[in-house]
Amino acid sequence: MADQSLEGKVALITGASSGLGRAFAIHLARVGAKVFLVARREELLHAVVEEITRSGGDAAYHVADVRIAPSLFDLVDVLLSRFKRLDVLINNAGLGYRAPLLELKRSEIQEMLETDLHAAIYLCQAALNALLKSAPSDIVNICSYAALEGFAEQTVYCAAKSGLLGFSRALAQELKPANVRVTAICAGSTDTEFFDRFRPTLDPARRLAVEDAVRALLYVLTSPPNVLHGEIVIRPRVV
Ligand SMILES: NC(=O)c1ccc[n+]([C@@H]2O[C@H](COP(=O)([O-])OP(=O)(O)OC[C@H]3O[C@@H](n4cnc5c(N)ncnc54)[C@H](OP(=O)(O)O)[C@@H]3O)[C@@H](O)[C@H]2O)c1
């Protein structure tokens, strides 16, 4: 079957103010998708939307903290009033703190679980009716290689991301009959602001580039709807 075109499709991307989410928004707009960007830092969202619209793309942003569940339902309403449909949901907002369990603050534990796991679950709920209506449609959850293995000093980050992977696997089965494809992208260290907070484990020069994750995302979204990916793992080659 031929590649699926993203022209005119509407994509909602959380955590689009920087890093992977910013790159996803710019590249999806480049291939003709209409993009709706969500994060907390308005000036950064504004700059990404300006960059996209200057190059002829269609983009809008919405400022929200994804840890506040009702705001996730509100932002879907705002998106639908602007774009009238939703074809692709990318749960990307996330963060990690790396420290031994005894040193993790309760606020850090809560922030990781609420941002990396709970928000994605609630946003899937909030967006599902729209995604069912526009099926074949896609949900992509940005997990991590930390979803697949246990790493010392990453206990809660691993818990949040493996929780998100388990959620994605089960939701993929649940939504298969409705033609909503659910994919988890499990990326290794990628060069973004993520490491401003997360004590790095890998020399920056060896990290993946955001474009590597963009390639994986476009591969998923342009695959014909009968092709299921389940999970895609990308990692830097470390020897
Ligand atoms: N970089 C890596 O090595 C790597 C590897 C695997 C997976 N990941 C995952 O990839 C995703 C994107 O991370 P990144 O590497 O691109 O890092 P990043 O540049 O720090 O981006 C994180 C994004 O999440 C948003 N965000 C965080 N908390 C939020 C909240 N409460 N409400 C709304 N938005 C929030 C941030 O926006 P605001 O601060 O403006 O709200 C920002 O846009 C994360 O889920 C991360 O766990 C990263």
Side-chain angles (χ1 to χ4, degrees):
M1 225 186 261
D3 280 5
Q4 210 180 197
S5 166
L6 294 172
E7 183 75 46
K9 294 219 166 173
V10 177
L12 161 53
I13 305 149
T14 65
S17 57
S18 64
L20 295 172
R22 176 181 181 278
F24 292 155
I26 290 171
H27 284 81
L28 286 176
R30 235 176 243 172
V31 294
K34 300 172 185 185
V35 288
F36 188 79
L37 289 68
V38 174
R40 292 164 302 181
R41 288 172 295 173
E42 183 162 15
E43 65 292 356
L44 295 182
L45 288 172
H46 183 75
V48 185
V49 165
E50 279 235 316
E51 184 176 338
I52 292 170
T53 46
R54 255 201 321 272
S55 335
D58 193 353
Y61 72 81
H62 183 81
V63 177
D65 182 337
V66 298
R67 287 176 297 171
I68 302 168
S71 74
L72 300 171
F73 289 81
D74 293 344
L75 74 86
V76 172
D77 290 342
V78 174
L79 176 148
L80 291 175
S81 65
R82 167 74 159 80
F83 289 116
K84 314 297 177 211
R85 58 182 292 128
L86 175 63
D87 303 279
V88 177
L89 166 62
I90 304 174
N91 279 303
N92 166 75
L95 80 166
Y97 295 100
R98 182 170 162 237
L101 183 60
L102 283 176
E103 289 172 25
L104 274 178
K105 298 186 187 86
R106 193 174 296 174
S107 60
E108 293 170 339
I109 294 173
Q110 254 170 3
E111 190 179 0
M112 283 187 272
L113 292 171
E114 288 175 2
T115 314
D116 296 344
L117 178 58
H118 300 179
I121 295 171
Y122 288 125
L123 190 52
C124 283
Q125 252 194 346
L128 193 50
N129 281 327
L131 290 164
L132 288 167
K133 211 165 153 190
S134 62
S137 51
D138 274 280
I139 296 173
V140 179
N141 292 328
I142 305 304
C143 294
S144 165
Y145 193 69
L148 299 165
E149 269 193 37
F151 294 101
E153 303 189 345
Q154 302 186 32
T155 48
V156 177
Y157 186 64
C158 287
K161 291 298 189 180
S162 60
L164 182 58
L165 178 60
F167 172 73
S168 306
R169 285 173 173 160
L171 191 64
Q173 293 303 317
E174 186 168 314
L175 298 182
K176 194 158 57 169
N179 219 355
V180 180
R181 175 170 54 194
V182 182
T183 309
I185 295 184
C186 299
S189 293
T190 309
D191 199 24
T192 69
E193 282 177 26
F194 180 84
F195 292 102
D196 294 354
R197 222 181 255 106
F198 190 93
R199 211 158 26 86
T201 48
L202 188 67
D203 174 0
R206 304 182 127 192
R207 290 177 193 153
L208 297 172
V210 287
E211 289 74 16
D212 299 317
V214 167
R215 208 173 294 117
L217 178 77
L218 291 178
Y219 168 62
V220 169
L221 296 180
T222 57
S223 297
N226 66 310
V227 177
L228 302 185
H229 302 282
E231 54 226 49
I232 293 203
V233 181
I234 52 168
R235 299 179 72 192
R237 186 170 65 91
V238 179
V239 286

